Amino acid sequence: MFAQTDMAALRAKSLQLTDLFIALVESRCGHHPLSLVTPREHARRGSQVSFEHPEGYAVMQALIEREVIGDYREPRIIRFGFTPLYTSFTEVWDAVETLRDVLDTETYRAERFHARGAVT
């Protein structure tokens, strides 16, 4: 079992990861129609960050194809989870760069990303 100090350290890293993700998405992808859904306040935020995008489903499918794994929730929500035990700050940066590329190149507009399956 984890000691109280270990749990506090994990929570601190979780918040650092999610703070970094939010900041990078807003600075690197801010010119796209993304709206933060997740609360900014640490006391109200867990280890997930959600953004709304008009083509959220297709964006998430394009990200999954590029091995950035998140999930989709109606309406138009792309959601990313961060596990502080093994998610690195470099992986956060790489995920945002992949998101930026998917949005900048409009990769998500490909027909294959709009086909809906039973599971996202």
Side-chain angles (χ1 to χ4, degrees), residues 37-69:
V37 176
T38 301
R40 290 182 189 277
E41 301 84 17
H42 287 178
R44 296 183 56 218
R45 184 170 72 226
S47 291
Q48 297 176 353
V49 175
S50 297
F51 282 91
E52 182 179 3
H53 184 278
E55 296 291 334
Y57 181 84
V59 169
M60 184 51 67
Q61 298 312 303
L63 289 170
I64 290 170
E65 183 178 272
R66 297 198 37 199
E67 298 183 5
V68 174
I69 309 301

Side-chain angles (χ1 to χ4, degrees), residues 55-65 68-74 76-80 113-120:
E55 296 291 334
Y57 181 84
V59 169
M60 184 51 67
Q61 298 312 303
L63 289 170
I64 290 170
E65 183 178 272
V68 174
I69 309 301
D71 63 9
Y72 175 78
R73 296 284 191 257
E74 291 291 350
R76 304 173 301 276
I77 304 295
I78 55 177
R79 187 171 72 161
F80 304 86
F113 298 128
H114 293 268
R116 297 218 180 196
V119 178
T120 62

Side-chain angles (χ1 to χ4, degrees), residues 3-16:
Q4 193 74 2
T5 55
D6 294 333
M7 295 301 289
L10 285 175
R11 175 67 177 148
K13 184 178 178 192
S14 169
L15 292 170
Q16 291 169 351

